């Protein structure tokens, strides 16, 4: 966990809810392109896209979190950076970059979902901070990355 | 001096040197009189010492220096070193390797060489005593040609041997002084070290042939006035010896004579190093830069194909010619980039002599290791990734394949088993085999084990044959070892080996005959990154089938498709092939809605047909790895970005075999 007192989060919407990823993990945000479907055992693997010649997996965040799978037309793909690779995450829209105090983050051990790192309470809003490693079972992240996140 | 910028080079070269030394030491154990190897050992050890000292790693330098003393024994006497000496030397090399690793991590040498140095000193002492006995009992030293030429000069010819103390700090300086002092007592005809090579001298014994003007005692006194000299012996060479030597040298021209004149300790080794390195100009390049180059090359090819497809629609005079020129230049560049990435498979093979030596000793087995086709070239990434799987196969062969000498004798085989690691080109592939002449795979034993592990049913075990048993070895969770040995039972099985090889786009199989031996065969594509493929579509999604696997394509309406035991078979005039549905085999598992064509492909040893919707045409594709978890249930092994920006998945023809193989089983 970071020792700094503030963190910057990229906040995006998914249905009625708001989610966030640490900005240090977000490489870029691209417009929706239909991923090339692949045969995966995981239902939330939407397929692969080409990002400047590199083949990057795209994960359906809504399916992963058990939300409705309908995506609006202006859906975006957030490219999450990992030490060895990158992965795309499908979201409805990207809203803002938010700076939060560490104390605004409540860890949610009871949730039992490794995908969720904490919940940020900002005024009346609840923003779910996602853990990119727990989110996709470490998919696409290597051990070094895991160690770095755990540190 | 700040040497940190040389660190990467030091690390790379040190590792290279250590590997070469490992190899040379194992070789010298087998063929002790291989003078070339002895010289090589000296050359490498010497530059290793120099490098370490330059970088300020004193303890490494000290240890290497002491090792040189032991190597010196090789020069002094034929018959090689005893096993204990080799063991100590190899232990030193291990320690040095560990030190290099530590230096890479921490920047400091974490090494206490005292104990090893003591062991080395012990070896030198023992051997030196032996040595003297040998010398006095041996034949008289043969005078070198320049001494022989002097025999008619009328002066007394003497051979002077001067010994320096063991802890002499600057032997080269002392040698220079000794030779100068001797020069005052007569004419130095020949010496070891030679006067012009004295700079590199590291030994403790100076030998000189003198046309003496002084008495023996005066010569001894002159030598002993020099600091660090412990003793000097002078012996007159009789006229008969000189005549005999002259006779011999007439028969064998002086160039071939290996008299003491040529034994010049480290000096000769240094000179050899100079001669050996002439002519080749090469540059060390960081491997990641090569990858980068490859990546850009790939992008260039993608863009070129895109521009080509646009150009075919445009009507600009001269554009077609310009495109053709661009294509030619780009292909030439591509070929060159691929070639730059190729390195000999030797890089992996070199670790095996040592590995086999240590393992066979541990297992109490006698093994002759044969390396074949070491200069076969492969893409660097493949060579790098090949190491671990090969080590595993070699360990497996030694541990499970080869029998103990007693078992072998009882089976009517020679005591010493054979392990052959070979590499060869076969079409667009490189085939790497690990072959042993051991007990072979026992289908019944394998079947029993597989039943016990719940991999197959007892009924299936009934009808097991050699080929299927060999295939079972790759099943996850299978291991034939009755007990987990520390040799090959390391928790990783053959399934891990197969996974790595498949990730490289290749495959691995066992061929075995009970009692005769087992061959593990790794088949790898020559180059990974760019390939020619047949582009097809299944329900609008593009797939690429490696062209070398495509036998032919047919229209399905021209042929009969029959159902045999639930599987579809394509009936051709001369053959019947299993017909797989493209959607089921390559996609998300649903049958394709319309399939008009079939592509007949080679899949392992078999031939299969894949039903597809559309044939698009031949393309040159830049292959990219697929993310690890996205395609686990389909027979695809990579992806390629098409000029349209779409992604084609690359069909893994060998994975097709497995799927149907399992169904058949």
């Amino acid at each position: 966990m970071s020792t700094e007192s503030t963190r910057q989060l990229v906040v995006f919407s998914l249905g009625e809810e708001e989610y966030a990823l640490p900005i240090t993990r977000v490489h870029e945000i691209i417009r929706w392109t239909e991923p090339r479907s692949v045969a995966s055992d995981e239902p939330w693997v939407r397929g692969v896209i080409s990002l400047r010649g590199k083949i990057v997996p795209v994960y359906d965040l809504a399916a992963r979190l058990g939300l409705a799978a309908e995506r609006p037309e202006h859906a975006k793909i957030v490219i999450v950076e990992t030490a060895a690779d990158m992965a795309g995450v499908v979201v409805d829209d990207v809203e803002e970059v938010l700076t939060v105090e560490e104390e605004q983050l409540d860890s949610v051990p009871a949730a039992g979902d490794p995908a969720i790192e904490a919940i940020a309470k900002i005024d009346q809003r609840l923003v779910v901070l996602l853990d990119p490693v727990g989110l996709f079972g470490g998919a696409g992240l290597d051990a070094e990355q895991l160690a770095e996140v755990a540190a | 001096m700040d040497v940190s910028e040389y660190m990467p080079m030091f690390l790379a070269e040190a590792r290279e040197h250590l590997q070469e030394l490992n190899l040379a030491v194992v070789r010298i154990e087998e063929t002790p009189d291989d003078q070339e190897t002895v010289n090589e050992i000296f050359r490498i050890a010497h530059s290793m010492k120099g490098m370490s000292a330059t970088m300020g790693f004193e303890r490494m330098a000290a240890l290497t220096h002491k090792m040189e003393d032991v190597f010196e024994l090789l020069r002094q006497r034929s018959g090689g070193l005893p096993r204990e000496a080799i063991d100590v030397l190899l232990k030193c090399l291990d320690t040095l390797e560990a030190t290099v690793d530590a230096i890479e991590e921490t920047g400091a040498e974490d090494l206490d060489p005292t104990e090893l140095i003591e062991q080395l000193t012990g070896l030198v002492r023992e051997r030196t005593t032996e040595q003297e006995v040998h010398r006095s009992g041996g034949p008289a030293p043969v005078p070198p040609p320049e001494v022989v030429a002097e025999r008619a000069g009328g002066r007394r010819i003497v051979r002077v041997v001067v010994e320096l103390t063991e802890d002499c700090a600057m032997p080269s300086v002392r040698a220079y002084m000794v030779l100068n002092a001797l020069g005052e007592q007569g004419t130095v005809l020949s010496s070891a070290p030679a006067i012009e090579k004295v700079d590199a001298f590291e030994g403790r014994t100076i030998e000189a042939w003198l046309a003496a003007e002084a008495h023996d005692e005066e010569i001894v006194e002159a030598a002993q006035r020099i600091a660090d000299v412990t003793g000097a012996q002078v012996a007159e060479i009789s006229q008969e010896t000189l005549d005999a030597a002259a006779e011999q040298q007439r028969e064998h021209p002086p160039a071939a004579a290996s008299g003491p004149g040529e034994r010049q300790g480290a000096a000769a080794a240094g000179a050899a190093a100079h001669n050996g390195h002439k002519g080749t100009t090469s540059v060390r390049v960081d491997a990641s830069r090569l990858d980068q180059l490859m990546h850009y090359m790939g992008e260039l090819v993608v863009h070129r194909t895109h521009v080509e497809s646009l150009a075919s629609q445009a009507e600009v005079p001269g554009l077609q010619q310009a495109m053709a020129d661009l294509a030619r230049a780009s292909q030439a560049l591509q070929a060159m980039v691929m070639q730059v990435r190729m390195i000999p498979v030797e890089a992996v093979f070199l670790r095996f002599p040592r590995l086999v030596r240590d393992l066979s000793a541990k297992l109490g087995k006698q093994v002759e290791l044969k390396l074949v086709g070491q200069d076969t070239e492969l893409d660097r990434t493949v060579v790098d990734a090949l190491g671990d799987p090969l080590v595993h196969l070699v360990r497996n062969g030694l541990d499970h394949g080869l029998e103990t000498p007693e078992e072998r004798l009882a089976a009517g085989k020679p005591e010493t088993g054979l392990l052959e690691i070979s590499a060869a080109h076969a079409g667009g592939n490189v085939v790497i085999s690990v072959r042993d002449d051991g007990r072979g795979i026992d289908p019944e034993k394998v079947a029993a084990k597989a039943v016990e592990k719940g991999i197959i049913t007892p009924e299936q075990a009934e009808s097991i044959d050699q080929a299927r048993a060999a295939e079972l070895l790759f099943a996850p969770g299978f291991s034939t070892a009755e007990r987990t040995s520390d040799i090959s039972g390391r928790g990783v099985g053959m399934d891990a080996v197969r996974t790595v090889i498949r990730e490289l786009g290749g495959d691995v199989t066992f061929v075995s005959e009970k009692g005769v031996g087992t061959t593990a065969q790794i088949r790898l594509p020559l180059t990974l990154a760019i390939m020619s493929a047949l582009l097809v579509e299944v329900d609008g999604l593009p797939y690429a089938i490696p062209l070398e696997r495509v036998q032919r394509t047919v229209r399905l309406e021209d042929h009969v498709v029959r159902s045999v035991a639930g599987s579809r078979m394509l009936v051709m005039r001369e053959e019947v092939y299993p017909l797989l549905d493209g959607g089921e085999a390559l996609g998300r598992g649903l049958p394709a809605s319309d399939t008009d064509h079939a592509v007949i492909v080679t899949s392992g040893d078999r031939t299969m047909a894949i039903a597809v919707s559309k044939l698009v045409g031949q393309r040159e594709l830049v292959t990219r790895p697929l993310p690890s978890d996205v395609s686990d249930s389909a027979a695809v092994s990579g992806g390629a970005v098409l000029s349209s920006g779409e992604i084609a998945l690359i069909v893994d023809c060998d994975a097709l075999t497995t799927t149907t193989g399992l169904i058949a089983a």
Side-chain angles (χ1 to χ4, degrees):
Chain A
M1 202 108 336
S2 168
T3 51
E4 288 160 35
S5 57
T6 62
R7 293 177 77 179
Q8 287 195 298
L9 310 176
V10 177
V11 180
F12 48 86
S13 63
L14 207 57
E16 298 294 301
E17 299 173 20
E18 287 185 304
Y19 291 87
L21 280 163
I23 199 166
T24 50
R25 296 271 162 214
V26 176
H27 185 258
E28 65 184 302
I29 294 150
I30 59 169
R31 276 182 301 140
W32 173 257
T33 53
E34 183 68 40
R36 162 66 155 95
S37 83
V38 292
S40 173
D41 294 340
E42 306 297 347
W44 36 265
V45 175
R46 279 297 293 266
V48 289
I49 56 166
S50 148
L51 190 71
R52 286 182 293 281
K54 208 172 149 57
I55 295 179
V56 173
V58 175
Y59 302 124
D60 190 332
L61 187 56
R64 169 65 181 82
L65 297 170
L67 306 172
E70 278 296 304
R71 297 275 67 79
E73 267 178 36
H74 55 267
K76 300 276 197 299
I77 299 175
V78 179
I79 305 294
V80 183
E81 207 175 60
T82 72
D85 247 305
M86 294 184 204
V89 175
V90 185
V91 302
D92 285 359
D93 204 358
V94 176
E95 297 185 332
E96 59 181 323
V97 175
L98 208 60
T99 306
V100 296
E101 300 290 323
E102 200 68 59
E103 54 261 30
Q104 284 177 285
L105 294 170
D106 287 348
S107 59
V108 277
D113 190 334
I116 297 170
E117 187 191 323
I119 292 179
K121 276 187 285 200
I122 302 132
D123 304 327
Q124 294 305 305
R125 294 160 71 188
L126 281 183
V127 178
V128 181
L129 175 58
L130 298 168
D131 175 355
V133 176
L135 198 51
F136 300 109
L141 304 175
D142 64 7
E144 195 186 326
Q145 184 83 10
L146 289 168
E148 189 192 313
V149 171
Chain B
M1 179 169 75
D2 179 26
V3 290
S4 58
E5 69 175 294
Y6 303 113
M7 189 56 102
M9 203 159 88
F10 167 75
L11 291 172
E13 283 187 3
R15 290 205 170 102
E16 216 168 86
H17 284 332
L18 286 172
Q19 177 157 52
E20 284 168 354
L21 269 181
N22 251 312
L23 206 65
V25 169
V26 173
R27 201 182 316 140
I28 212 73
E29 188 181 22
E30 282 159 16
T31 46
D33 295 323
D34 182 353
Q35 205 55 40
E36 220 170 277
T37 305
V38 173
N39 287 336
E40 192 189 334
I41 288 178
F42 266 93
R43 179 176 60 75
I44 306 168
H46 194 69
S47 51
M48 185 79 205
K49 183 174 69 175
M51 272 163 52
S52 316
T54 314
M55 295 296 290
F57 299 125
E58 298 295 342
R59 282 172 279 183
M60 269 181 85
L63 182 56
T64 324
H65 177 81
K66 206 71 213 174
M67 287 169 70
E68 274 186 322
D69 287 356
V70 178
F71 290 136
E72 182 65 35
L73 299 173
L74 280 171
R75 283 181 186 272
Q76 291 170 358
R77 184 190 157 166
S78 59
L81 296 173
R83 191 166 181 105
E84 316 85 75
I86 301 273
D87 282 337
V88 175
L89 287 171
L90 290 177
K91 208 154 66 177
C92 292
L93 292 176
D94 288 345
T95 309
L96 288 172
E97 258 167 51
T99 310
V100 171
D101 288 345
I103 288 173
E104 183 168 29
E105 267 181 34
T106 64
E109 51 171 352
D110 170 25
L111 164 75
D112 179 15
T114 332
E115 192 189 330
L116 283 169
I117 286 184
E118 254 166 46
Q119 289 184 20
L120 289 169
T121 315
L123 287 171
V124 177
R125 209 173 291 127
E126 278 166 37
R127 295 284 292 175
T128 315
T129 340
E130 238 176 90
Q131 191 70 43
E132 267 146 26
V133 175
H134 172 80
R135 259 195 193 160
S136 57
V142 181
E146 51 275 39
V147 177
V148 175
E150 187 58 34
R151 80 196 144 109
R155 283 185 292 183
R156 227 160 48 88
I157 309 267
V158 293
R159 177 172 174 269
V160 188
V161 178
V162 180
E163 299 280 349
L164 298 176
T165 58
E166 197 55 40
D167 55 0
C168 167
M170 293 171 292
S172 55
V173 175
R174 298 303 170 220
Y176 181 80
M177 292 167 76
V178 166
L179 292 177
N180 257 351
L182 294 178
E184 285 165 17
Q185 310 299 321
T187 311
V188 178
L189 301 170
S190 166
S191 67
I195 188 82
E196 66 273 13
K197 286 175 183 161
V198 85
D199 287 352
F201 180 65
E202 299 281 352
R204 294 291 178 268
T205 308
I206 304 151
E207 181 184 49
W209 301 81
L210 209 61
E213 283 146 17
H215 295 294
D216 288 1
E217 302 80 50
E218 285 169 315
I219 297 171
V220 171
E221 249 173 64
Q224 279 178 337
R225 273 199 293 273
I226 317 277
D228 288 340
V229 169
T230 51
Q233 293 169 350
V234 179
E236 191 172 341
I237 306 300
S238 66
Q239 201 61 40
E240 294 80 62
T241 312
L242 288 172
D243 288 343
E247 191 65 35
Q248 202 186 8
Q249 277 155 19
R250 251 196 302 281
E251 281 165 28
H252 306 279
S258 69
E262 287 194 334
R263 288 194 289 123
Q264 281 159 356
H274 281 294
N275 296 337
H277 281 298
K278 63 172 179 225
T280 49
T281 35
S282 59
V283 189
R284 237 172 233 281
V285 182
D286 190 359
S288 65
R289 289 198 197 169
L290 282 184
D291 291 343
Q292 210 54 62
L293 188 63
M294 186 71 231
H295 183 85
Y296 290 138
M297 183 65 233
E299 244 174 84
L300 183 64
V301 172
V302 171
H303 296 324
R304 192 197 83 214
T305 34
H306 192 189
V307 174
E308 267 172 353
S309 70
L310 290 175
S312 64
Q313 298 156 24
E315 299 215 3
V316 179
L319 180 59
Q320 292 306 327
Q321 185 55 45
M323 283 310 304
D325 290 345
L326 175 64
R328 195 157 357 94
S330 134
Q331 271 155 12
L333 179 62
Q334 185 182 322
M336 192 52 76
V337 171
M338 299 313 291
Q339 211 204 320
V340 166
R341 290 173 53 89
M342 301 289 262
I343 59 170
V345 74
E346 190 178 33
V348 196
F349 279 17
L350 284 185
R351 66 171 92 170
F352 289 114
R354 173 77 195 276
L355 183 90
V356 169
R357 174 194 184 269
D358 290 358
L359 272 187
S360 53
K362 208 164 177 181
L363 291 166
K365 294 178 182 179
Q366 293 177 18
V367 185
E368 186 199 341
L369 175 69
K370 262 172 91 176
L371 298 176
V372 181
Q374 303 168 60
D375 49 359
T376 308
E377 288 191 331
L378 260 176
D379 193 278
R380 190 188 60 79
T381 37
V382 185
V383 172
D384 287 350
L386 204 55
D388 289 343
L390 261 186
V391 166
H392 201 83
L393 290 174
V394 168
R395 283 171 179 275
N396 194 66
L398 281 173
D399 197 11
H400 303 310
L402 289 172
E403 315 91 327
T404 59
E406 301 77 50
E407 285 171 319
R408 290 184 67 89
L409 283 179
K413 294 180 180 180
E415 262 182 296
T416 303
L418 178 75
L419 189 78
E420 186 186 276
I421 309 174
S422 64
H425 288 286
N429 293 305
V430 168
V431 176
I432 296 169
S433 310
V434 178
R435 182 169 71 87
D436 66 62
D437 66 345
R439 52 174 77 97
I441 295 171
D442 183 342
E444 275 144 42
K445 224 167 140 187
V446 169
K449 190 85 186 173
V451 171
E452 188 190 308
K453 297 256 173 189
I455 298 168
I456 56 170
T457 63
E459 294 79 60
Q460 284 172 323
E462 293 281 307
S463 61
I464 197 129
D465 59 16
Q466 195 73 39
R468 198 150 302 154
E471 201 54 31
L472 273 176
L473 297 181
F474 291 109
F478 188 92
S479 160
T480 44
E482 268 97 42
R483 70 206 143 71
T484 312
S485 66
D486 65 342
I487 308 298
S488 52
R490 292 192 164 213
V492 282
M494 283 300 145
D495 55 324
V497 170
R498 178 169 266 182
T499 307
V500 174
I501 300 294
R502 288 223 166 133
E503 272 168 14
L504 294 173
D507 202 3
V508 53
T509 48
F510 277 121
V511 181
S512 180
E513 196 177 327
K514 194 178 164 187
V516 178
T518 308
T519 304
Q521 209 173 60
I522 299 175
R523 195 173 272 273
L524 287 165
L526 202 54
T527 53
L528 287 181
I530 300 185
M531 66 168 193
S532 298
L534 174 68
L535 202 62
V536 301
E537 274 182 19
V538 178
D539 280 347
L541 292 174
Y543 291 91
I545 304 172
L547 210 57
E548 62 193 42
R549 297 306 188 100
V550 176
Q551 293 182 2
R552 56 189 291 199
T553 62
V554 295
R555 290 178 68 86
L556 277 175
E557 61 180 22
D558 298 342
H559 297 273
V560 181
V561 175
R562 286 192 194 290
S563 178
V564 179
S567 308
R568 294 206 300 163
M569 303 295 278
L570 175 65
V571 183
M572 307 270 291
R573 194 172 306 145
E574 62 283 17
E575 282 282 357
V576 179
Y577 302 121
L579 181 65
L580 307 176
D581 183 277
E584 283 174 345
L586 312 173
R588 285 197 181 262
L590 302 170
S593 55
D594 64 320
T595 49
D596 295 340
H597 299 267
V599 182
I600 297 168
V601 298
T602 313
S603 162
D605 309 335
R606 310 176 59 178
T607 301
M608 312 238 177
I610 312 169
V612 300
S613 313
K614 194 174 153 195
L615 301 176
V616 181
Q618 185 194 332
R619 292 285 185 279
E620 210 155 277
L621 299 177
V622 181
T623 66
R624 301 270 188 230
L626 277 183
S628 58
D629 55 344
V630 301
S631 60
D632 18 42
S633 53
V636 294
S637 62
V641 182
L642 304 177
S643 54
S644 62
E646 278 182 292
I647 296 172
L649 299 181
I650 294 161
V651 177
D652 181 354
C653 289
D654 290 325
L656 293 171
T657 316
T658 323
T659 341
T660 47
L662 285 180
I663 291 165

